[in-house]
Amino acid sequence: MPHKLLVSRLLGKDAQAIQQLIDDETAVLTRLASPFTIQDAYIFIELYNTLGIWVNGELVGALEIKPSGETAYVVGKEHREKGYCTQAIRAVNGNIFKKLLKVNKLWCLIHSENKASIRIAEKCGLEIVYVK
């Protein structure tokens, strides 16, 4: 069955779902609080342009886009390596979406050991700044 991918703004009601996606390993690799609490989820949603990645109505990940264009992304473990994050970033990296968000280009900070995130950024043409 083909999947229906949707990228839309996360709301406070989505906090529990996003908190359940972010395990300790994911939090460390993406520089989020570990353990990632429900309070952290609310902050994650409210602080920036945080978008949910939805597949067939299920939240599978999120994109955070700061006013500087810095982009962070996370996908739940069971949903990785399916291309969802790449599709979502390509959608928001289009001219219309960047104008809506008022950013010129998207870029990301990535831990040098986070090979999956590096691959996604390269596929989507994002500038990468490596961190340790």
Side-chain angles (χ1 to χ4, degrees):
M1 175 176 148
H3 64 267
K4 179 182 175 187
L5 187 130
L6 174 70
V7 179
S8 66
R9 181 80 166 94
L10 285 174
L11 304 172
K13 67 179 181 67
D14 302 315
Q16 186 171 4
I18 197 69
Q19 189 235 353
Q20 291 173 351
L21 282 179
I22 300 175
D23 60 13
D24 289 341
E25 175 191 354
T26 302
V28 170
L29 281 174
T30 55
R31 300 181 353 230
L32 293 169
S34 177
F36 190 77
T37 67
I38 192 70
Q39 202 59 17
D40 294 320
Y42 280 109
I43 292 167
F44 179 74
I45 289 169
E46 295 300 322
L47 204 50
Y48 302 107
N49 292 310
T50 307
L51 306 168
I53 303 170
W54 305 86
V55 175
N56 297 330
E58 178 183 2
L59 183 66
V60 300
L63 298 170
E64 176 185 74
I65 304 172
K66 297 181 180 177
S68 66
E70 179 186 348
T71 304
Y73 39 88
V74 61
V75 176
K77 223 175 213 179
E78 64 276 9
H79 304 290
R80 294 180 188 158
E81 298 185 18
K82 297 180 180 178
Y84 300 148
C85 193
T86 300
Q87 289 176 52
I89 291 171
R90 285 180 176 159
V92 301
N93 204 13
N95 289 331
I96 292 171
F97 216 106
K98 286 193 289 191
K99 283 181 184 177
L100 180 67
L101 296 173
K102 297 182 175 129
V103 297
N104 292 322
K105 72 174 184 175
L106 302 182
W107 60 279
C108 52
L109 291 170
I110 300 177
H111 193 283
S112 58
E113 294 178 19
N114 191 340
K115 303 299 182 200
S117 286
I118 292 168
R119 267 193 323 274
I120 291 168
E122 289 173 343
K123 282 194 239 179
C124 295
L126 302 182
E127 180 181 324
I128 303 171
V129 176
Y130 293 97
V131 295
K132 292 191 177 211

